[in-house]
Amino acid sequence: MVDWNPYLDSLCNAYTQWWTFGTLKDVVEPKRVESEPSTLPFEFGLMVQTVERDAQQRSKEEQKVERLGVLEGLQKYASEHVLLVGRPGGGKSTALVRLLVATAQQALQNPHSQIPVLVELRTYKIYYKTSVLDLVQASLKRRKLRRLDIETIEDLLAQGRFLLLMDGINELPDDEARRNIKEFRLDYSDVPMVFTTRDLGVGGDLGIEKKLEMQSLTEAEVEKFVRECMPGGSEERLQQLRQRLRELGQTPFVMWMLYFIVQKTGTVPSGAGSAFREFTQLYERRSKEDAPVSDESRRCWSRLLERLGFEMIQADKPTDLRLTISKREAEEILTQVVDSEKFDKPRDRALQWLEDLLKHHLIQVTTNDQIEFCHQLIQEYYAAERLLKMLTSPPRRTSPPTPLLQREGSKIPVPPFPSREAGALVRRLGGLGLSDDELKREYLNYLKWTEPLALMLELVEDEAQAVRVVKLALEVDLRLGARLAGGVKPEWQEQTVGFVTGLEIPDLLKLQLLGFTKSEKAIPSLIKALEGGEYSLCKSAAEVLGKVGSEVAIPLLVKALEHSDPSVQGMAAYALVQIGSISAVNLLVKSL
């Protein structure tokens, strides 16, 4: 008979403040509202949306959409296995922790309740030996259950005692790991399981039919947060903050980061890349300012983290990425950086500066001497800064033209890069510069570089370089190119979005790509389609205007509410909801 109470108590104690999970708890504590002392900071009513498609129903109109609170949705569908999908920083891991705590508390009250187990899939390489059961065993051991052998765990799974919470399919190291997790899921199909992933394009869905998609925070939640946590701000600043959240993604992590920046500087950053740059610099300057570290160490922190984040995403195989790295390998990477900076005793300095970073900055030690960044978005930002340096340096060589690339996942093979090892050596020695050929093959072609590329592009100060990246991206993958076209500085977007509108492709596909730009420069083309009269184009244009999210589109969408086709009316109403401004709501009410 297993005594579960020590394990369950350990879970509840470890995650008492579940709302801080996934943020940097030592940086900031939001102001609580005096009139509502029980209000938790950064607690949002996150919602999920599920789409169930019957085998006989293939069109979008026939999909059944259900919106639920995130906990309610996970609890409802865990028994048949459910995949929680959401954008970076959207609260997926925090949602699992909430479910973990809620289930643990229930099990403390009822000995027959299921026992929750949180398995962080980024630790796969650390704990996997012979089967996925090793990961489950390791998770139990970390929380005071050290004597459960694999056979006992198998028996408990067969008895239906566990609720498995498998966090981060996209964080699995390679295809073999994904196959093993998929086989485990099928072998234990009767065991309740919840999986999370940030993008179905990285890691796939493991064949899980039931999917819940994390929804962005509502305008009301953003408004409430801004008013309560940042009282006294001018209406102009509040409007800037709301607009920036709309552009960057209304997720808890982004909201928390912007809160930190505004509290410290009184200004709102202009975009995602600049927000991360400002945040990390602020953190570096104010985090434990009296820390006993040398000036040399502190000056090198950014360069050290840039190289570390870059090499972790680069990994050994082009399709793999790492979210953890052994301390020994991190020491080797940082030694190369220090040596390239011409410091004496580079290894001694690298070891000391790594310890400084672990104590005072944005990386941390996990189990088994593994190192990780405090959030995957932070890692991707530092990799983006490294990419920016490589992009803006003169190319180190010229290459002959290569065939058009097909992005990762295509059945068309990618032409091999003949000197990948040589390229890695040049990077280690400090030689930079990316030719068009290398930029396409080594970075634009791989899904794992999508977020770092998007962050990097907003930081590019040279218009010619920004335009170059967008053009090359469109050669590799239209969807990626469209996203990057809307990610350059606003004053350059007329040209880059123009590349998308100039593509010789079907109109419906072009409208979808304009939606990926999320740029106001796409609006003229969308207006033309909306006013063109053809049903399918009108409906698609209305949908895309909602994704762009600009209030400029409100009068047009209100007019579309009177369209002769009911589905166009419905899409126009939905687009107004997505824009979410007070004026849009008032016009919807008037239409009703």
Side-chain angles (χ1 to χ4, degrees):
M1 188 73 177
V2 180
D3 179 10
W4 295 108
N5 283 355
Y7 168 76
L8 297 170
D9 285 332
S10 175
L11 290 179
C12 293
N13 292 334
Y15 301 109
T16 300
Q17 293 184 310
W18 56 259
W19 58 89
T20 62
F21 186 77
T23 64
L24 300 157
K25 296 182 282 294
D26 62 325
V27 177
V28 63
E29 272 298 317
K31 298 175 183 178
R32 292 176 181 267
V33 186
E34 294 300 325
S35 60
E36 300 181 57
S38 62
T39 300
L40 295 175
F42 295 106
E43 180 182 10
F44 304 106
L46 293 174
M47 301 291 291
V48 291
Q49 179 171 295
T50 178
V51 177
E52 297 184 73
R53 175 173 289 185
D54 187 88
Q56 304 301 318
Q57 297 175 330
R58 297 297 182 190
S59 69
K60 194 167 185 177
E61 291 83 1
E62 294 171 316
Q63 292 176 4
K64 300 175 183 178
V65 178
E66 185 180 12
R67 285 176 65 88
L68 302 161
V70 63
L71 272 187
E72 180 187 359
L74 295 179
Q75 290 167 334
K76 180 175 181 178
Y77 293 112
S79 60
E80 55 186 278
H81 294 186
V82 61
L83 177 62
L84 182 63
V85 184
R87 63 188 304 171
K92 301 180 297 296
S93 296
T94 305
L96 281 197
V97 169
R98 291 186 64 182
L99 181 57
L100 179 78
V101 173
T103 310
Q105 291 172 341
Q106 183 179 359
L108 283 169
Q109 301 298 320
N110 182 357
H112 301 294
S113 294
Q114 289 172 330
I115 305 300
V117 183
L118 176 62
V119 179
E120 295 172 316
L121 294 179
R122 69 175 179 271
T123 65
Y124 182 92
K125 278 193 171 181
I126 303 173
Y127 294 115
Y128 185 90
K129 298 172 185 174
T130 58
S131 76
V132 179
L133 293 171
D134 297 324
L135 304 180
V136 178
Q137 184 185 49
S139 297
L140 293 167
K141 280 185 175 180
R142 289 202 300 273
R143 297 293 172 198
K144 301 185 181 298
L145 273 178
R146 302 186 180 278
R147 296 184 179 180
L148 280 187
D149 55 35
I150 295 296
E151 291 75 15
T152 303
I153 292 172
E154 285 183 296
D155 290 340
L156 290 166
L157 284 168
Q159 296 166 20
R161 291 292 284 135
F162 288 135
L163 167 62
L164 297 184
L165 310 177
M166 315 285 276
D167 190 22
I169 293 175
N170 58 287
E171 299 176 14
L172 288 166
D174 49 42
D175 289 337
E176 182 183 357
R178 287 184 278 274
R179 283 194 298 271
N180 289 334
I181 295 293
K182 183 175 181 179
E183 289 173 6
F184 174 82
R185 186 185 77 79
L186 296 174
D187 289 343
Y188 293 94
S189 58
D190 294 333
V191 176
M193 296 188 201
V194 178
F195 295 81
T196 70
T197 190
R198 65 151 52 174
D199 188 336
L200 294 177
V202 181
D205 60 10
L206 303 184
I208 301 170
E209 293 186 5
K210 181 60 63 181
K211 299 177 181 67
L212 299 176
E213 184 179 7
M214 296 288 297
Q215 300 298 291
S216 296
L217 298 172
T218 66
E219 188 78 8
E221 286 172 323
V222 172
E223 183 77 20
K224 183 173 183 289
F225 174 82
V226 168
R227 297 281 182 192
E228 293 181 354
C229 290
M230 286 182 267
S234 68
E235 189 59 39
E236 180 182 0
R237 185 186 301 167
L238 296 179
Q239 181 58 37
Q240 284 181 330
L241 187 58
R242 284 192 289 268
Q243 181 61 31
R244 201 66 67 239
L245 280 165
R246 218 178 271 129
E247 294 169 3
L248 304 185
Q250 291 171 198
T251 65
F253 185 86
V254 168
M255 187 175 288
W256 168 82
M257 183 172 66
L258 290 178
Y259 164 85
F260 176 74
I261 294 170
V262 173
Q263 285 292 94
K264 301 305 172 188
T265 67
T267 60
V268 179
S270 59
S274 55
F276 276 98
R277 178 179 281 177
E278 193 164 352
F279 166 74
T280 54
Q281 290 175 351
L282 282 170
Y283 188 91
E284 184 175 313
R285 286 199 298 269
R286 80 169 289 278
S287 177
K288 303 179 181 176
E289 294 173 341
D290 57 347
V293 300
S294 67
D295 291 340
E296 287 179 340
S297 172
R298 195 181 288 272
R299 281 198 299 270
C300 285
W301 281 0
S302 293
R303 295 196 294 279
L304 296 175
L305 291 181
E306 286 169 16
R307 180 66 65 88
L308 191 61
F310 178 89
E311 295 295 344
M312 288 169 69
I313 293 179
Q314 186 80 343
D316 295 327
K317 295 181 181 179
T319 54
D320 295 348
L321 63 86
R322 294 176 293 178
L323 297 178
T324 63
I325 189 172
S326 71
K327 193 173 182 181
R328 177 174 294 183
E329 187 175 355
E331 291 169 355
E332 294 298 328
I333 291 171
L334 299 194
T335 298
Q336 293 164 8
V337 179
V338 176
D339 188 38
S340 69
E341 298 279 343
K342 308 301 182 185
F343 286 104
D344 61 342
K345 298 181 179 179
R347 184 162 187 83
D348 291 344
R349 290 178 185 269
L351 295 179
Q352 181 56 57
W353 294 353
L354 177 58
E355 290 302 321
D356 293 345
L357 287 166
L358 289 169
K359 289 178 183 176
H360 308 299
H361 210 19
L362 291 162
I363 57 175
Q364 59 197 16
V365 177
T366 63
T367 51
N368 285 22
D369 251 6
Q370 295 286 308
I371 290 173
E372 67 179 6
F373 281 80
C374 294
H375 197 286
Q376 186 175 349
L377 285 171
I378 300 291
Q379 177 182 339
E380 289 169 334
Y381 157 71
Y382 278 112
E385 289 281 15
R386 173 70 175 163
L387 269 178
L388 180 64
K389 288 182 172 65
M390 297 171 68
L391 177 74
T392 53
S393 296
R396 57 176 177 265
R397 57 179 170 75
T398 57
S399 302
T402 58
L404 253 186
L405 297 176
Q406 191 73 21
R407 208 168 187 219
E408 176 190 344
S410 168
K411 295 180 181 178
I412 302 175
V414 178
F417 184 56
S419 57
R420 186 176 186 86
E421 293 80 6
L425 177 61
V426 172
R427 279 192 296 275
R428 287 198 295 270
L429 296 176
L432 302 178
L434 290 173
S435 66
D436 289 356
D437 188 63
E438 188 176 6
L439 181 59
K440 287 193 292 184
R441 180 177 289 110
E442 298 292 304
Y443 303 101
L444 294 169
N445 191 51
Y446 291 106
L447 289 168
K448 66 181 182 180
W449 286 108
T450 299
E451 297 301 328
L453 283 164
L455 289 170
M456 176 203 74
L457 202 56
E458 196 255 322
L459 296 171
V460 174
E461 297 292 342
D462 184 338
E463 181 179 3
Q465 285 285 14
V467 170
R468 170 197 174 207
V469 174
V470 173
K471 282 184 174 180
L472 294 175
L474 285 168
E475 292 178 20
V476 175
D477 180 81
L478 292 177
R479 179 171 172 172
L480 173 69
R483 178 179 175 182
L484 297 185
V488 302
K489 293 184 182 300
E491 57 267 30
W492 305 335
Q493 287 180 18
E494 184 170 357
Q495 181 179 2
T496 55
V497 174
F499 296 153
V500 179
T501 57
L503 292 170
E504 295 184 3
I505 55 176
D507 289 338
L508 277 175
L509 175 58
K510 187 179 295 186
L511 290 176
Q512 291 173 6
L513 294 176
L514 288 172
F516 292 127
T517 70
K518 295 188 176 179
S519 170
E520 289 193 356
K521 301 301 181 183
I523 290 179
S525 297
L526 297 174
I527 292 173
K528 184 178 179 180
L530 189 63
E531 296 177 340
E534 186 180 339
Y535 147 73
S536 59
L537 294 180
C538 286
K539 182 182 176 185
S540 183
E543 181 180 18
V544 173
L545 283 168
K547 291 179 179 178
V548 172
S550 171
E551 295 195 19
V552 174
I554 290 176
L556 301 163
L557 291 169
V558 171
K559 185 177 178 181
L561 293 174
E562 301 173 359
H563 195 278
S564 59
D565 190 287
S567 62
V568 175
Q569 298 172 13
M571 188 58 73
Y574 183 64
L576 287 167
V577 171
Q578 284 186 296
I579 293 173
S581 69
I582 297 299
S583 59
V585 172
N586 289 338
L587 287 167
L588 273 173
V589 171
K590 184 178 178 181
S591 297
L592 286 173

